[in-house]
Amino acid sequence: MEDSQQWAFPTELRPDPEAVGFDLDAALGSIVTVHAEIPEEAFTASILGTQRVGSGVAIRGDGLILTIGYLITEAETIWLTTLDGRVVPGHPLAYDFASGFGVVQPLGPLELPPLPRGSARAIEVGDPVVVLGRGGRPHALAAEVFAKREFAGYWEYLLDEAVFTTPLHPEWSGAALVDAGGRLAGVGSLFVQEAGGDRVIKGNMFVPIDLFTEIEGDLVHGGRAPHPPRPWLGMYAAESEGRLLVQGLVKRGPAFEAGMQLGDVVIEVAGSRVTGLAQFLRSVWALGPAGAAVPLTVSRGGTPVALVVASGDREDYLRKPSLQ
């Protein structure tokens, strides 16, 4: 089930086991490879692929694995591979759309040391951190936090504060962000590239572990976070030249069914003007839970067009995991 792991970071980019303030090898022993197989007919198959590989981290003594949710969404089969080569099947226990976290229940004994949990709130810009991906020391990266700020994603996703690190870890999905004390501070979600003075910064975005701690009990025992599902529109909007442009639509999704078109520019939500993606998402979510009617005004070829989107629950469009 394991794919090629021939690449390695240069020695100068890896954390020095003698210099870090924790047992690096013990921390690496908490990391597993997550290999998910998704049916071709699944809703996310065309977007995220049918073979997804990333990392996960053992967070409890019972072997529970925390990863990034898009790796396991609609997974029919999951395999977990430990650093020493043991392979056990896993069950996709939960995926929280608001935070982006995914939880996998091993269906066999992993006997891994759980990585101690810290807090992203305790990390400051400029702090040294370590990014641990699957594959042991060759895939461990010494990094630095270059930003902590809001993050808005075009797939209707918003974090009030995410953690951004550099240099880039090329296998960021589900990788563990570890603070100077060896504690888990976040889970890898994205590659980012942005201007930083006279240079381009390439790095990763991490979802703070604090968001998982707040909902852990509900996710593990009920499969969902305690908050009601947010209204989902099924549209991909992005800021472009000071406008909020509709760049993609989910076929037969709520916005598509309401008559939204590619190239529409979102002007208002429920009569209030919006100019940015984060503002747009918060305005939509303020109208109520999934199922709420979302009045929108868009500009189409310079002409205002009023639409009412009957929002949905994103989870209703996804295949449910089979019972083991």
Side-chain angles (χ1 to χ4, degrees), residues 18-99:
E18 304 301 323
V20 297
F22 59 93
D23 187 334
L24 178 62
D25 287 329
L28 286 166
S30 303
I31 308 299
V32 299
T33 296
V34 178
H35 183 163
E37 300 174 358
I38 288 79
E40 291 184 359
E41 65 273 17
F43 182 76
T44 58
S46 63
I47 305 168
L48 300 173
T50 58
Q51 299 288 327
R52 305 174 196 165
V53 182
S55 301
V57 55
I59 55 169
R60 305 194 328 182
D62 59 7
L64 201 70
I65 299 297
L66 183 65
T67 186
I68 200 68
Y70 58 73
L71 283 178
I72 63 170
T73 303
E74 300 187 285
E76 189 172 63
T77 304
I78 294 178
W79 296 99
L80 305 172
T81 305
T82 64
L83 184 58
D84 59 9
R86 290 176 291 121
V87 181
V88 302
H91 175 68
L93 193 62
Y95 175 17
D96 178 49
F97 295 104
S99 65

Side-chain angles (χ1 to χ4, degrees), residues 143-290:
E144 176 182 314
V145 176
F146 75 84
K148 291 179 70 180
R149 59 168 181 264
E150 176 183 82
F151 174 82
Y154 64 86
W155 58 96
E156 300 181 56
Y157 178 73
L158 179 65
L159 295 177
D160 291 335
E161 184 175 79
V163 181
F164 298 82
T165 68
T166 191
L168 166 69
H169 196 299
E171 294 185 345
W172 59 82
S173 299
L177 177 66
V178 178
D179 67 16
R183 297 173 293 266
L184 180 65
V187 171
S189 177
L190 293 171
F191 158 74
V192 294
Q193 178 174 299
E194 56 189 67
D198 58 353
R199 66 189 181 103
V200 174
I201 299 175
K202 294 182 179 181
N204 301 115
M205 186 274 275
F206 289 83
V207 182
I209 189 63
D210 312 73
L211 299 179
F212 175 74
T213 301
E214 295 169 359
I215 59 176
E216 179 177 358
D218 293 276
L219 279 187
V220 173
H221 299 295
R224 295 192 72 154
H227 48 71
R230 290 168 170 168
W232 178 70
L233 305 183
M235 56 181 275
Y236 304 131
E239 296 176 26
S240 176
E241 300 179 350
R243 305 179 305 163
L244 191 59
L245 183 67
V246 178
Q247 297 182 330
L249 291 166
V250 174
K251 192 173 182 180
R252 293 187 293 276
F256 177 90
E257 295 292 345
M260 188 77 73
Q261 296 181 12
L262 297 181
D264 285 350
V265 176
V266 181
I267 300 173
E268 295 178 343
V269 175
S272 296
R273 191 168 186 84
V274 293
T275 56
L277 182 56
Q279 181 193 14
F280 167 70
L281 293 172
R282 289 192 176 100
S283 297
V284 170
W285 296 341
L287 297 176

